């Protein structure tokens, strides 16, 4: 496949298949306002994400009719609507106009692969997650290491529990960067829109090893297995995960956040299983993140209690504060019903249960 803008569609905040539009909340408006200058440089983008050249305001409606038409065509005709005809031609044109190398032949040759999910065990639960090139390997490697330590006995937020978590992350990310690649996601992507399609092109080339020894957008320094090659998919941290008990689904979780996705998913799972937090507490508890390179530990407010920061520094961890990351929207399944949780880190949307 040609090197250039990747095919994945970015759906940044809004959109409505029916074309009726979406009322903007404060978080949506702030994201749009931050990119007003960039949007204004692209006619096709400005026509949708700006209101006559100005940023939208809270309460105004952003209507994405072209996106609705594209999604409706895919719903009617399946993959052929995307990889053949008008949509494919528009993506190729947008790519080539902005220095990309996509061709119609790339689309006609492409085949979606269905892969077997990755499965691992954790304290009597079955974890079903994304196989390579997704991030499930990192999730399962961390859980396999953590299964050997009494996290529940040590307690949430204790230095002992954090040290085990950070050590598991260090080795899992080291192996991810060195060994993993295709075995055969930032706001508004490339900020380039394929004309009349309503969607932006993503910037997934960032997920390849563009240059050995140098970090990507998320600071990941990756190996030769993930170098750019024709017909190859980039390594990803996406880790949609299902947790089962006695063959029954009990928890569904996942998150955006690039390199932070696996550690976010693992913390939701361990919060729920080891520390017996309810699903809302498990999702919204303060988080930490560590990936070895760069060599610092990100901590949300109150993620490390008491003198824990200094004790971690004594163990060699370079602990620094960070406001927040990710959005682990999750579902807990019980005999009494299904419970949805909206992560406090992204206020848009509402979780429902029944």
């Amino acid at each position: 496949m040609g090197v250039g803008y990747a095919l994945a569609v970015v759906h940044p905040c809004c959109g409505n298949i029916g074309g009726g539009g979406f009322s903007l909340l404060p978080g949506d408006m702030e994201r749009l306002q931050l990119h007003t200058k960039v949007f204004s440089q692209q006619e096709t983008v400005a026509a949708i994400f700006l209101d006559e050249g100005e940023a939208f305001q809270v309460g105004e409606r952003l209507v994405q009719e072209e996106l609705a038409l594209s999604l409706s065509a895919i719903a009617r005709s399946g993959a052929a609507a995307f990889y053949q005809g008008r949509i494919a031609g528009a993506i190729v044109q947008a790519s080539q106009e902005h220095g990309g190398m996509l061709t119609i032949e790339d689309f006609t040759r492409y085949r979606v692969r269905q892969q077997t999910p990755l499965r691992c065990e954790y304290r009597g639960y079955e974890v079903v997650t994304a196989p390579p090139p997704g991030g499930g390997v990192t999730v399962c490697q961390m859980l396999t290491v953590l299964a050997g330590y009494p996290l529940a006995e040590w307690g949430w937020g204790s230095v002992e529990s954090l040290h085990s978590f950070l050590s598991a992350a260090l080795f899992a990310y080291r192996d991810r960067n060195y060994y993993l690649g295709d075995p055969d996601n930032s706001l508004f992507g490339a900020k380039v829109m394929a004309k009349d399609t309503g969607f932006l092109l993503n910037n997934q080339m960032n997920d390849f090893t563009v240059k050995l020894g140098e970090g990507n957008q998320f600071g990941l320094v990756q190996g030769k297995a993930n170098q750019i090659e024709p017909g190859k998919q980039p390594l990803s941290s996406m880790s949609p995960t299902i947790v089962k008990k006695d063959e029954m689904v009990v928890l569904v979780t996942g998150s955006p956040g690039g390199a932070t996705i696996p550690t976010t998913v693992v913390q939701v799972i361990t919060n729920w299983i080891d520390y017996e937090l309810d699903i809302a507490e498990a999702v919204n508890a303060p988080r930490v993140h560590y990936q070895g390179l760069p060599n610092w530990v990100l901590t949300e407010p109150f993620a490390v209690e008491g003198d824990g920061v200094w004790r971690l520094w004594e163990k060699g961890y370079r602990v620094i504060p960070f406001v927040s990351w990710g959005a682990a929207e999750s579902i807990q399944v019980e005999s009494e019903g299904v419970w949805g949780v909206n992560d406090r880190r992204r206020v848009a949307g509402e979780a429902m249960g029944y």
Side-chain angles (χ1 to χ4, degrees):
M1 177 166 270
V3 175
Y5 294 107
L7 308 186
V9 174
V10 176
H11 184 258
C13 64
C14 315
N16 184 294
I17 292 179
F22 191 95
S23 294
L24 295 176
L25 298 173
D28 301 322
M29 187 230 11
E30 291 169 5
R31 293 186 185 95
L32 291 173
Q33 286 184 334
L34 284 173
H35 294 81
T36 296
K37 183 176 180 180
V38 176
F39 294 161
S40 65
Q41 298 170 359
Q42 299 283 342
E43 181 179 351
T44 54
V45 180
I48 294 175
F49 291 108
L50 295 180
D51 182 14
E52 297 184 354
E54 302 294 330
F56 281 94
Q57 302 300 313
V58 173
E60 294 182 337
R61 292 185 72 79
L62 170 60
V63 180
Q64 295 178 264
E65 294 180 354
E66 293 174 349
L67 176 61
L69 292 173
S70 293
L71 295 177
S72 296
I74 294 170
R76 290 193 307 270
S77 304
F82 186 88
Y83 292 100
Q84 302 172 23
R86 179 185 65 84
I87 293 179
I91 296 173
V92 168
Q93 180 178 349
S95 171
Q96 294 182 355
E97 287 178 351
H98 293 85
M101 299 169 61
L102 291 177
T103 67
I104 289 296
E105 288 72 26
D106 292 328
F107 281 78
T108 57
R109 290 199 304 264
Y110 184 79
R111 296 293 182 272
V112 175
R113 295 184 294 173
Q114 294 188 358
Q115 296 175 270
T116 303
L118 182 66
R119 300 172 185 268
C120 57
E121 298 291 324
Y122 185 69
R123 305 199 195 282
Y125 292 84
E126 182 184 19
V127 178
V128 185
T129 186
V137 171
T138 306
V139 169
C140 279
Q141 186 171 347
M142 289 185 66
L143 290 173
T144 300
V145 171
L146 291 172
Y149 295 91
L151 301 185
E153 177 183 331
W154 288 336
W156 184 92
S158 68
V159 170
E160 292 79 10
S161 291
L162 287 169
H163 178 43
S164 297
F165 176 84
L166 298 174
S167 297
L170 175 64
F171 286 101
Y173 277 84
R174 181 267 181 189
D175 287 351
R176 174 200 186 280
N177 294 342
Y178 186 79
Y179 292 110
L180 296 183
D182 184 351
D184 293 323
N185 339 260
S186 52
L187 290 176
F188 304 106
K191 300 179 178 65
V192 172
M193 179 171 287
K195 187 176 181 181
D196 299 327
T197 63
F199 57 76
L200 297 153
L201 304 187
N202 212 329
N203 60 346
Q204 289 304 109
M205 298 306 293
N206 173 73
D207 284 345
F208 277 114
T209 304
V210 178
K211 187 175 182 180
L212 288 173
E214 293 190 7
N216 68 0
Q217 176 183 349
F218 301 103
L220 291 171
V221 180
Q222 304 175 105
K224 292 183 178 179
N226 194 42
Q227 285 185 308
I228 298 173
E229 294 176 347
K232 192 173 180 180
Q233 293 182 0
L235 193 60
S236 171
S237 295
M238 292 187 293
S239 308
T241 299
I242 297 171
V243 179
K244 301 173 69 177
K245 182 73 170 181
D246 300 326
E247 297 301 319
M248 299 296 293
V249 174
V250 293
L251 178 68
V252 180
T253 191
S255 178
T260 67
I261 294 174
T263 55
T264 295
V265 169
V266 169
Q267 284 171 96
V268 172
I269 293 172
T270 56
N271 286 347
W272 190 72
I273 293 177
D274 292 288
Y275 307 121
E276 298 183 344
L277 304 183
D278 65 41
I279 187 61
E281 294 171 331
V283 167
N284 290 304
R287 298 179 190 139
V288 300
H289 174 71
Y290 185 46
Q291 60 191 51
L293 291 173
N295 188 25
W296 55 59
V297 177
L298 300 181
T299 61
E300 290 184 340
F302 309 109
V304 184
E305 298 179 340
D307 63 350
V309 171
W310 306 114
R311 292 176 62 190
L312 288 172
W313 272 80
E314 290 175 350
K315 292 180 179 295
Y317 296 108
R318 300 298 176 254
V319 182
I320 63 173
F322 200 83
V323 177
S324 68
W325 59 85
E329 320 296 4
S330 302
I331 299 171
Q332 178 180 333
V333 182
E334 297 179 336
S335 58
E336 296 83 6
V338 178
W339 310 98
V341 176
N342 179 227
D343 196 320
R344 61 176 174 80
R345 296 163 181 84
R346 294 197 182 181
V347 297
E350 182 180 5
M352 304 293 289
Y354 63 88

